[in-house]
């Protein structure tokens, strides 16, 4: 009897070990897997824009069927990380390329974290790297190598402005999946094809979308924002075999970008943003799917319906 008990125990232990190996996040070819299941990023770029609370935001994110947020700074609050995990919302966690080891060591086992990300279209700013952008790519490769030593259970990504050149990909082999910030009016699919032509690595669209102020009309235009976001997300979603998904830009209006923080300002452009639909102007304080007070714009329900359909397919 004891012999059979031992055999049964060893069998259970084998099954447990196999299950544990299935946990975590990994890249297989062009596809992303989380806990053994193929994962589609139905996401949003996320910061609180100087207002709101994570509990309030999580409720809205869940309502919009968003399963992933992409941050621009680290989240240090363990209660906040736990709240995202409880809501089944994954996090593409932005890391400071000059100070990340302690953070990764502390939070590397947190199940809410989907990927580690370095840089946000730093390729547009060689002045940050002694006027030689190759210094950034060397830094990125070193960071990716180090973070994978600290946490081999998650992929490393970088949000590149537009499609990275072949030389960039060769310079950063330790980047597992590339993000691309794309502003090509309402159709980013050609960029997906361009990437796929010269790389077999995984990709996702780390920024894309439209703001709700129309410079041509000189007024708020939520209808155009909703239409553009619908076309953008739908186009990207149809290329799931090539592209893991999208983190739409962005969750809420950020009043701090273009002037007086206490009012919403028109203006301020971003690098390579002439393709912003439909006026070619990036009015930086009008990009949210919700307003600063968390009331919903027209595009909120567009995103909600699109991501709902993608969840069910």
């Amino acid at each position: 009897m004891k012999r059979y008990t031992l055999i049964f125990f060893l069998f259970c232990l084998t099954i447990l070990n196999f299950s544990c190996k299935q946990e975590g996040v990994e890249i297989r070819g062009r596809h992303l897997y989380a806990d053994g299941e193929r994962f589609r990023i139905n996401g949003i770029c996320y910061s609180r824009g100087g207002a709101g609370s994570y509990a309030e935001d999580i409720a809205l994110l869940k309502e919009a069927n968003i399963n992933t947020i992409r941050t621009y700074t680290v989240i240090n609050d363990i209660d906040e990380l736990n709240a995202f995990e409880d809501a089944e919302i994954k996090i593409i966690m932005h890391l400071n390329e000059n100070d990340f080891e302690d953070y990764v060591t502390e939070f590397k086992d947190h199940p809410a974290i989907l990927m580690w990300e370095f840089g946000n279209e730093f390729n547009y700013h060689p002045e940050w790297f002694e006027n030689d952008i190759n210094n950034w790519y060397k830094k990125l490769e070193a960071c990716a190598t180090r973070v994978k030593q600290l946490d081999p259970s998650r992929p490393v990504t970088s949000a590149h402005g537009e499609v990275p050149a072949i030389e960039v990909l060769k310079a950063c082999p330790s980047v597992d999946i590339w993000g691309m910030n794309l502003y090509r009016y309402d159709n980013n699919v050609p960029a997906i094809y361009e990437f796929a032509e010269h790389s077999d690595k995984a990709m996702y669209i780390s920024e894309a979308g439209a703001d709700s102020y129309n410079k041509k009309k000189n007024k708020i235009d939520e209808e155009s924002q909703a239409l553009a976001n619908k076309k953008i997300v739908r186009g990207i979603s149809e290329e799931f075999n090539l592209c893991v998904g999208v983190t739409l830009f962005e969750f809420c209006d950020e009043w701090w970008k273009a002037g007086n923080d206490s009012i919403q300002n028109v203006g301020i452009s971003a690098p390579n943003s002439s393709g912003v639909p439909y006026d070619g102007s990036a009015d930086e304080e009008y990009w949210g799917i919700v307003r600063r007070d968390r009331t919903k714009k027209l595009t909120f329900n567009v995103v909600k319906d699109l991501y709902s359909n993608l969840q069910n397919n």
Side-chain angles (χ1 to χ4, degrees):
M1 189 68 178
K2 290 182 179 178
R3 177 185 176 189
Y4 289 115
T5 301
L6 178 60
I7 292 172
F8 179 74
F9 172 76
L10 292 174
F11 173 78
C12 291
L13 185 60
T14 300
I15 294 297
L16 179 60
N17 287 338
F18 177 79
S19 299
C20 289
K21 290 178 183 178
Q22 296 305 300
E23 295 179 357
V25 185
E26 62 179 325
I27 303 293
R28 302 180 196 171
R30 295 191 187 277
H31 304 150
L32 177 67
Y33 285 78
D35 299 325
E37 298 292 331
R38 191 173 171 191
F39 189 83
R40 182 198 293 269
I41 296 174
N42 297 333
I44 200 86
C45 296
Y46 178 77
S47 70
R48 284 201 279 280
S53 67
Y54 69 78
E56 180 183 16
D57 290 350
I58 285 173
L60 287 164
L61 292 164
K62 286 291 289 182
E63 184 182 349
N65 298 306
I66 289 164
N67 67 9
T68 307
I69 61 167
R70 173 177 172 256
T71 69
Y72 294 92
T73 59
V74 295
I75 297 175
N76 289 297
D77 185 348
I78 188 64
D79 291 334
E80 183 173 352
L81 288 173
N82 291 342
F84 277 106
E85 170 60 16
D86 291 343
E88 298 182 322
I89 295 173
K90 297 290 188 181
I91 302 170
I92 300 170
M93 191 69 77
H94 177 90
L95 295 175
N96 182 327
E97 69 277 7
N98 296 311
D99 183 17
F100 63 87
E101 293 195 15
D102 288 346
Y103 184 87
V104 172
T105 300
E106 181 176 357
F107 292 106
K108 65 182 180 179
D109 295 321
H110 200 285
I113 299 172
L114 181 70
M115 297 189 286
W116 303 113
E117 185 168 83
F118 291 100
N120 181 58
E121 53 191 42
F122 282 6
N123 54 299
Y124 293 151
H125 295 284
E127 71 274 13
W128 296 348
F129 304 96
E130 300 177 338
N131 290 313
D132 184 353
I133 198 60
N134 290 313
N135 290 331
W136 161 236
Y137 299 130
K138 292 175 184 176
K139 180 78 168 181
L140 173 58
E141 174 61 15
C143 289
T145 299
R146 180 56 180 151
V147 80
K148 288 164 81 167
Q149 293 171 345
L150 295 170
D151 178 19
S153 70
R154 290 183 182 83
V156 179
T157 184
S158 180
H160 191 273
E162 263 292 328
V163 181
I166 294 174
E167 293 76 16
V168 173
L169 298 172
K170 288 181 178 179
C172 306
S174 298
V175 174
D176 302 296
I177 172 171
W178 283 88
M180 297 190 293
N181 289 6
L182 300 174
Y183 294 98
R184 298 189 177 192
Y185 282 87
D186 59 9
N187 181 14
N188 295 299
V189 173
I192 294 173
Y193 295 158
E194 288 170 30
F195 183 96
E197 283 177 2
H198 61 237
S199 177
D200 58 3
K201 284 206 166 187
M203 75 177 95
Y204 86 105
I205 309 307
S206 42
E207 283 187 18
D211 64 271
S212 61
Y213 193 90
N214 191 321
K215 270 286 178 53
K216 291 182 177 179
K217 300 178 181 179
N218 286 318
K219 67 176 184 178
I220 292 172
D221 184 3
E222 292 188 12
E223 291 82 2
S224 291
Q225 181 192 29
L227 176 62
N229 282 343
K230 183 176 183 178
K231 290 183 177 181
I232 288 166
V233 172
R234 181 177 287 169
I236 294 168
S237 69
E238 290 174 352
E239 304 301 330
F240 189 40
N241 280 330
L242 295 176
C243 182
V244 168
V246 58
T247 48
L248 193 70
F249 191 73
E250 65 179 328
F251 174 66
C252 72
D253 289 341
E254 298 179 297
W255 287 16
W256 57 268
K257 286 188 169 182
N260 187 336
D261 293 0
S262 63
I263 60 174
Q264 194 168 21
N265 303 275
V266 176
I268 300 297
S269 62
N272 211 40
S273 61
S274 61
V276 172
Y278 287 106
D279 59 358
S281 176
D283 289 288
E284 285 285 300
E285 297 192 4
Y286 286 85
W287 281 88
I289 65 169
V290 300
R291 303 177 189 89
R292 190 171 185 268
D293 65 2
R294 274 40 179 187
T295 54
K296 302 168 189 173
K297 297 185 187 178
L298 291 179
T299 193
F300 181 93
N301 285 327
V302 168
V303 172
K304 175 181 177 179
D305 291 344
L306 285 167
Y307 284 164
S308 176
N309 290 334
L310 292 174
Q311 283 178 341
N312 296 326
N313 291 334

